[in-house]
Structure formats: structure tokens, C-alpha cells
Amino acid sequence: MLLHGHWKATANYGATLDFTRIDFDDSGWSDAPVPGHWQEQPEFADYPEKMLFRKTFEHAGTAPGARSFLRFEGVFYACKVWLNGAYLGEHEGFFEPFEYDVTGIVREGRNVAAVFVRCERERDLNSKTQVLGVFGNWDCIPPHMQPGGIWGEVSLEERPPVFLHSPAVDDFQVDPDEAVFRARVRLDGLGGGAQGLRLEWTLSPFNFQGQVLEGEFLLDAVQAADPEASFEIAVPEPRLWWTWDRGEPNLYTLAVRLCGGAAEHEISLRFGIRTVEFKDWILHLNGERLFCRGSNYAPCDARLARADRDLCARDIRLARDANLNMLRAHAHVEPQAFYDLCDEAGILVWQDFPLQWSYAQSVEQSAVKQIRAMARLLAHHPCVAVWCCHNEPFTVMEAYTLQDLIAKNKWKDLFRLGRSMWFRNWNKNVLDLRLREAVREQDADRPVIAHSGIPGLLREGTDAHLYFGWYMGTMRGLDMMARANRRALRFVTEYGAQALPIPEHFRRMCDADKVSDLDWDMLEKRHMLQTNLMHKFSPPRADASVEDYAGLTQWYQARVIRYTNELLRRMKYNPCGGAVHFLFNDCAPVVSWAVVDYWRGLKQGYYALRDSFRPLLPMANMPKRWYPQGDMVSLRLFVINDLRQAFPGVTLRAAFVNQDGEIKQEEEQGVDIPADGALACGRAKWDTADAPPGAYGLILEIHGPGIEHPVVSQYEFELR
């Protein structure tokens, strides 16, 4: 029985618990939708941080011999729950479903569920107290948007006296002939012991044709004090789960039935058979190296109640079409539909725990409990490849860049930032290590990274966040860093630049025709535009149209994405194991690093991401924007192949052309492209002495045996 629809809600709460009584008069309260977020109601738009909710419903009462449970799929952020005046308990954490046994409390006829919900604004951004991740504060969600609400479904469920719950699979031992793993399931209601009960299980293919396996065993040895049954399943000739670019994302369904006497209950779990590990920051899937081509995924919507399966499915299709084999769930946990869809699409997930920047020490106990819950909730998904405990566990500054800190004479802030990044702090060296230990205890089958974005300068770092072309100077500084400290680029999980949404969507934020009419202050405060940096890298002309300026910002963003992707891919496995761009999607109406705006408009950066992440790709080191007429243009050539298949005896063609497509210089060479490798192919050179000033391009093409359609890349530059 779903308890969705209109609930009664108020921000006027007192010290008494009168509101929990069935006969309490809530006629003066507002109507609020559940699932939902209370700030969306006009009367709560200024965001009270604590709310009371009531739901009156009719019920037939618990059936004889059955048990009833009141279940919540998700609440932002902490709550206390009553039913018919009886206190059921409290819960903290936005992503974990929770439930209460209400057998004997729910009654025939009129019932009332009452909930107190708390979700506070984080005022001290370097000492946060709630595990909200990006929902607590982030430069891609406006600070006036707060998440509080009963965002998931609420239901009243009936179950038998003894029932199964919390199915899990782990401890995979995989070889080509056989895969062996452990299945576990917990039982509730074993007050009288498990004598006479048995489990029957069936393992069947979910998305392919194959053998169905079955088994059963008695539960006599299961004790009421630790009501968990575990059993081993051996799968002959297993069909492994692969990313879409390496094979098929094969999935199995494990159905477990409780039988014996009056007990009868069944649950199921969908999963995949695969192994995953990091070796020196190179991901190995089923024992094979895999270069990760990824992007950071923001919440499907900042209002999680809106994040339905259809919207998630649209995003996953866009990610697959952009040639991504990894998404990073950036400092948040998505609804289950997201992970189901990634399982089916063959897209890996780097799963962040919802911690971002700095927290108060009081958060430790709750964070440990919640990270264990995250691992339990998601561990059966084969798409989840990596756990990361904390994103950027260092001090938040008001200024965006090092130059800003120096210009504003913020030397104290600069010292605090450097100290928190490169030296010991409680978040990084105490909290994160405790979280890493907790998640390893829960799941030993995946790599666990204590924190993301710690530079490897004074000591061994982690994955890198390298905003060349935005925070860290020009994009070509990345090449200088690669020469100076190559290991710093061994796995890069953030890079990019802001760009305006497509013009028709940008007008929903700011209705202006000319750049001179734009309200820059409003765009910065309400839509997260970083004005100074935008103007630095995409200088606006006052007489330009908004459409033209949006195009300029998107052109620049696309250029940064392509430059970074191609440079990192040329370093494939030497030492770079992955390039995970920031950011794939907007979750709110903002100006951000995303290549897919909030209304799912595709920026130019999306196409740059797609094209530069093609699994088989000819490339050159990116030309300068212009060369003096008469210079020799000389560009290094490469072919990158992320596929298992080698391509021997193919042709690489390099042609310099003018803006009319006329060939000015052309060369061809035969190349043998190795499987899953990066191949240097010399240089393309053109003496421009006889060429007039103007627009030119370099076209690269590979064709030949095994390549169904020629693969083409094109670069543009000018002679002046």
C-alpha cells in the first residue's frame, strides 16, 4: 500500500508530541506532496529547516498470521517516525531505505503516520555536520536550493511471520571454466529457531540465454541470534559482465525461496559475475586492463523526488552515445534505477560517498554507519567498480583560484588551503581512513580510495583534479605538468571549463538578447556562473548576441575537453589509467562545467567528449590556434585503440587542407594498431611558405582491414 500523494505539513512545531495523535487537528496545515521536497511549496520557499508531516489513511488491518512494516525509501536528512501515536524510531541519512515493524500498531480503519524531518543549511562550510555531499553545498547547485523532504516513496507492506531480506553476493573466484561465489540472505522472525525450514534457490540468466542452476538446503543450523544463511554457488562456464566496449554486460538473477511449514517467502537479486581491481591506478576488469573514459555524474536532479527511471535512462543513453565506459557518481548516491541502468548498459560507476570538502568531527559515527549502508545497498551491482570515501577533504575558500587568493591578499586562506591539501588534517587522515576501513569490512571485492583529489607533490597522492583551462591557468599548462610530474596524471577524475547552456535554455535563466543586457551578478549568485573566469577565457563583446556568446563559451569548453582527453589518452597506461571529465549533466538551472544542461540540451562540449572518447581514434597533438604564415606546422601523430581487437596493416592518412577542402599537403603510412594500446606514428609536417593567410585544417583518417567505416579526426588552425 503506497502512502504517496498529499500529506499535511507545517513548519510550526513545538515541544509537545500532540501532532502524533490520531485525533490531532491538522486542518490548518498545508498540503505537501510525498515524494517531494518542501521548499517547492510556496509557503515553505524560504526553507524552514525542520518540518512536521502527517498522513491519514484507511487500512484493513494486518491479516491474520502476517506482519506489517512501514517503509521509507528516502528522507532528507534525519527524521523521527510515529504511527497512531506510537514512537517507531529515528533515522539519519538521505539515501538508505528504512522501515519499522508496525504489526499490532496499524489498525483497521483510520491510521495516522507522523514524521518530524530535519535538514539544516550548512552555514560553516568547513565544519559541516550532515552527510549530504553535493546536496549540502556545491558549486553546481545554487545555495538557495535546499533538499529537505520525504523524497522517496512511503509504503505499508505485509509479510509472513518469517521472511527473507538483505540478499547479497560476494567473494567471487572467477576463471574461464567456473565461477564460484558466496550468496547470503538474512531471515527475520526466527524467534522459535529454523528447524524444519529450508531454502531453495534458482540462478538464471537475466539478459542472455543460458543454463539455469538450482539448489536447496535445510536451515537447521541458522541461529535466531545471527539469522543469516550463506551458501556457495558454482557456475560452470560463466558469462562475465563486461563494459559495453569490451563485451556484453551479462546479468544473472538469483531467486531465493523460504519453504517449510507455514513459512513461504521469496526474494530475488540481480547481479553480474566479474572481478575488478586497481593496479597502480590502472583498472583491471576480469583480469584485463581497461582505460576508463568517463565523466562525473551530478545528481539526476537536485530534487531527487523528480529523478525517475525515464530521466535516468535518458542520461545513461547519452553517456553511452558519448562513448563513456565510466560515470563517477560525484559525492552523492543515486536512486537504485541509476545503478540498474548502468548494469544493463555496461557502464562502470566510480561511487563516491556523500562527503565533499570539510566536516566537523561530530560527523564520524554517523558517516561510518552510512558508508556501510551504502556498500550494503549497492554491492550487488556489477557496474559499481570503485568506492571513494571523500571528495576533496580540504578547506573551502571564497576565492576560486590561486591568483584570486593572491590578488585579494588572502595569504592566511592560502596557507590554510595548502596545509589542508598537503599536510595532515582530521578529515583526510582520521575520518577518511576510518571510512576506508569500514567499507572494506563490508565489501572486500572492490578497490577503496580514501579520498579523491589529493595532489601527489610532497607525498604520494590519489587521483588528480586538474583544471588547466579554468582554475589552473591555460589548458596547455597540462602538457607542462605531464613533462614535469607524469605520475600526477596517472588517473584524472576532474577537469573542464564552464559554458552557458544552449541559448533557448539559457533564456529560462536570463531573458536577454545582447551580452550588454546580461545581469552578471544575478547569474553568479543564483546560477553559479564564475564570472571572472568566464570573462577571462571567453571574453564577452558588449554588442554580441547571447546566442553568439553562448556559442563562444561552448566552443572554449569543447576545446578544453578535447585537449585534455587526447593528452591523457596518449599517456594510456604510461602511466594514465583513466580520464574522467567534469561534468556530464546539470542537476539544476545553472551555468556549470556540464556538457548536458539541466533541460538536457547538448552543448558543443558533449560532442567533443563523444568524439575524443571514440574507442578507436587517430589524433595529433592539438595545433595552436594560429601560426605565422610561412612557418613549418609540425604535429605529432598517434592512434589510440581501447578495443580488444588489433588492426594490422591499416592506413593512416594525414592531409592539410584549406577552408574549401583543397588538399595542400598529404601523406599516408601503413600502421599496425595493437589491441588496447597507444601507437606513436611520427609527425605530419607542412611548410606554409606558399600558403596565404586564412583558415586551415588537418584531417586524419584510418582505414583498412577490420575497420568497417573510416575513422576521421579533424583539427583547425589559422595562418596569419
Side-chain angles (χ1 to χ4, degrees):
M1 177 182 180
L2 289 176
L3 302 181
H4 61 289
H6 287 295
W7 288 44
K8 290 292 186 177
T10 184
N12 298 319
Y13 58 92
T16 71
L17 297 178
D18 290 348
F19 80 100
T20 68
R21 301 195 324 262
I22 292 181
D23 59 355
F24 179 82
D25 181 9
D26 58 18
S27 60
W29 290 17
S30 301
D31 288 332
V34 171
H37 303 265
W38 66 71
Q39 194 181 38
E40 295 185 284
Q41 299 298 107
E43 57 268 49
F44 306 128
D46 60 350
Y47 195 71
E49 298 178 347
K50 300 174 183 178
M51 293 282 291
L52 304 180
F53 290 86
R54 281 171 55 92
K55 177 67 173 180
T56 301
F57 61 96
E58 297 291 324
H59 192 259
T62 304
R67 297 168 65 188
S68 293
F69 289 82
L70 181 62
R71 180 176 176 85
F72 293 78
E73 295 299 328
V75 175
F76 271 113
Y77 162 72
C79 64
K80 295 182 178 181
V81 183
W82 294 260
L83 181 64
N84 296 333
Y87 178 63
L88 303 180
E90 60 184 294
H91 179 80
E92 181 176 357
F94 76 87
F95 59 83
E96 182 189 12
F98 58 98
E99 63 186 23
Y100 303 103
D101 189 339
V102 294
T103 309
I105 300 175
V106 66
R107 62 186 65 175
E108 182 179 358
R110 185 168 179 260
N111 293 264
V112 175
V115 186
F116 165 77
V117 182
R118 169 181 61 83
C119 189
E120 298 170 332
R121 294 179 186 268
E122 295 283 15
R123 291 172 174 82
D124 184 347
L125 300 186
N126 287 309
S127 190
K128 298 191 292 291
T129 60
Q130 301 168 109
V131 181
L132 290 170
V134 296
F135 297 104
N137 73 296
W138 194 29
D139 42 17
C140 297
I141 297 179
H144 65 269
M145 287 186 68
Q146 295 293 316
I150 303 174
W151 69 266
E153 292 282 5
V154 183
S155 60
L156 191 63
E157 301 178 0
E158 278 197 0
R159 299 173 193 162
V162 181
F163 63 89
L164 305 171
H165 66 97
S166 304
V169 290
D170 57 20
D171 196 18
F172 286 89
Q173 308 296 321
V174 180
D175 63 46
D177 298 323
E178 184 180 64
V180 180
F181 64 92
R182 180 179 64 163
R184 296 181 288 119
V185 65
R186 297 190 68 81
L187 295 92
D188 192 290
L190 280 183
Q195 286 73 22
L197 299 180
R198 72 179 190 278
L199 281 186
E200 299 176 351
W201 59 265
T202 302
L203 182 69
S204 55
F206 173 79
N207 56 356
F208 64 92
Q209 298 296 317
Q211 182 182 6
V212 175
L213 303 176
E214 296 179 324
E216 65 176 271
F217 59 94
L218 294 175
L219 294 175
D220 292 351
V222 176
Q223 302 297 316
D226 184 23
E228 180 176 272
S230 65
F231 50 101
E232 189 176 271
I233 297 179
V235 183
E237 299 180 348
R239 297 279 289 271
L240 303 184
W241 186 93
W242 292 96
T243 53
W244 63 267
D245 53 343
R246 288 299 182 90
E248 297 296 328
N250 297 302
L251 297 168
Y252 290 86
T253 298
L254 175 64
V256 183
R257 293 173 296 279
L258 176 65
C259 307
E264 188 169 323
H265 188 236
E266 180 174 331
I267 57 173
S268 63
L269 183 73
R270 197 183 72 177
F271 69 100
I273 298 175
R274 62 103 182 92
T275 62
V276 62
E277 58 184 327
F278 260 136
K279 296 180 180 179
D280 198 19
W281 290 92
I282 296 172
L283 193 76
H284 288 67
L285 179 64
N286 299 323
E288 294 185 9
R289 293 188 305 181
L290 177 73
F291 188 88
C292 297
R293 305 183 307 274
S295 188
N296 283 255
Y297 189 76
C300 185
D301 196 295
R303 306 299 193 191
L304 273 188
R306 301 178 186 170
D308 60 20
R309 186 180 180 89
D310 289 343
L311 184 56
C312 284
R314 184 176 177 180
D315 286 349
I316 299 305
R317 285 194 298 271
L318 287 172
R320 168 61 184 83
D321 291 345
N323 294 309
L324 305 185
N325 60 18
M326 174 177 275
L327 289 170
R328 177 188 178 192
H330 186 96
H332 75 287
V333 178
E334 281 287 324
Q336 282 288 335
F338 170 80
Y339 304 96
D340 289 339
L341 290 162
C342 287
D343 286 345
E344 295 167 11
I347 294 177
L348 294 169
V349 175
W350 168 305
Q351 181 59 55
D352 283 354
F353 184 59
L355 291 182
Q356 177 154 277
W357 304 325
S358 295
Y359 291 78
Q361 295 188 22
S362 60
V363 82
E364 180 178 359
Q365 182 177 355
S366 178
V368 168
K369 180 180 178 181
Q370 290 186 54
I371 202 169
R372 287 176 173 151
M374 180 185 75
R376 286 195 304 269
L377 191 66
L378 303 180
H380 66 281
H381 289 286
C383 68
V384 176
V386 182
W387 304 118
C388 182
C389 302
H390 197 157
N391 183 53
E392 297 181 348
F394 42 75
T395 302
V396 179
M397 299 288 103
E398 292 183 8
Y400 294 135
T401 67
L402 178 64
Q403 294 93 324
D404 286 341
L405 286 169
I406 295 172
K408 295 177 181 179
N409 203 28
K410 297 279 188 177
W411 296 104
K412 184 176 180 180
D413 285 351
L414 182 60
F415 173 75
R416 289 174 59 210
L417 174 62
R419 183 179 62 184
S420 66
M421 291 177 69
W422 290 305
F423 296 96
R424 181 180 177 85
N425 71 61
W426 180 83
N427 276 261
K428 182 174 62 179
N429 299 99
V430 178
L431 175 62
D432 294 355
L433 300 187
R434 179 71 184 90
L435 294 174
R436 183 176 65 183
E437 177 187 359
V439 77
R440 281 176 173 170
E441 291 171 355
Q442 192 68 41
D443 178 16
D445 288 339
R446 288 176 175 84
V448 184
I449 297 166
H451 28 245
S452 175
I454 300 300
L457 297 178
L458 301 179
R459 60 187 67 189
E460 186 76 0
T462 60
D463 55 303
H465 299 172
L466 300 175
Y467 284 95
F468 290 97
W470 199 249
Y471 296 128
M472 302 171 73
T474 67
M475 64 184 185
R476 292 187 182 273
L478 181 63
D479 187 55
M480 297 173 60
M481 184 173 191
R483 292 195 295 268
N485 185 11
R486 194 175 182 90
R487 277 187 60 78
L489 279 67
R490 59 190 179 177
F491 205 99
V492 183
T493 53
E494 290 190 32
Y495 54 91
Q498 285 192 345
L500 300 185
I502 66 172
E504 65 184 274
H505 294 163
F506 181 59
R507 289 185 183 279
R508 301 180 188 181
M509 302 182 200
C510 187
D511 188 13
D513 294 322
K514 295 286 187 180
V515 168
S516 57
D517 298 328
L518 289 175
D519 185 342
W520 297 105
D521 187 59
M522 181 274 293
L523 289 171
E524 184 164 330
K525 290 181 178 178
R526 294 194 62 83
H527 299 290
M528 311 309 289
L529 171 67
Q530 295 180 354
T531 308
N532 291 342
L533 289 169
M534 181 74 78
H535 288 183
K536 175 182 177 180
F537 292 109
S538 299
R541 288 191 356 257
D543 61 339
S545 69
V546 167
E547 287 80 1
D548 287 345
Y549 187 62
L552 174 64
T553 68
Q554 291 186 26
W555 172 86
Y556 177 74
Q557 181 192 61
R559 187 172 173 85
V560 170
I561 291 170
R562 182 180 186 182
Y563 180 86
T564 309
N565 282 355
E566 292 188 352
L567 187 150
L568 295 175
R569 293 188 71 188
R570 294 198 297 270
M571 299 171 62
K572 177 177 178 175
Y573 305 149
N574 184 29
C576 186
V580 183
H581 150 265
F582 185 89
L583 174 73
F584 187 71
N585 61 305
D586 278 330
C587 61
V590 294
V591 177
S592 85
W593 297 258
V595 296
V596 179
D597 70 31
Y598 178 62
W599 296 276
R600 272 41 185 186
L602 304 183
K603 303 180 188 180
Q604 294 178 38
Y606 174 84
Y607 300 104
L609 191 72
R610 178 196 67 185
D611 293 345
S612 59
F613 269 166
R614 284 175 288 174
L616 179 63
L617 184 66
M619 67 173 70
N621 56 310
M622 185 174 286
K624 301 175 184 178
R625 292 179 64 176
W626 65 274
Y627 296 85
Q629 190 274 334
D631 274 12
M632 173 71 73
V633 178
S634 177
L635 301 171
R636 291 177 296 163
L637 303 181
F638 305 85
V639 177
I640 309 301
N641 181 18
D642 290 344
L643 302 174
R644 283 172 162 172
Q645 178 184 356
F647 297 93
V650 302
T651 299
L652 171 62
R653 171 177 170 263
F656 289 97
V657 300
N658 64 16
Q659 59 187 351
D660 297 322
E662 179 185 352
I663 296 175
K664 311 302 290 184
Q665 172 73 24
E666 182 178 25
E667 294 181 0
E668 289 188 352
Q669 58 176 301
V671 294
D672 296 322
I673 304 173
D676 191 26
L679 181 67
C681 302
R683 287 181 175 269
K685 297 180 180 180
W686 176 36
D687 184 349
T688 67
D690 297 328
Y696 293 87
L698 170 65
I699 297 175
L700 303 178
E701 177 186 297
I702 48 175
H703 61 271
I707 300 176
E708 185 176 357
H709 302 289
V711 183
V712 178
S713 295
Q714 183 167 337
Y715 299 85
E716 298 174 351
F717 60 92
E718 294 181 7
L719 295 181
R720 297 181 182 177

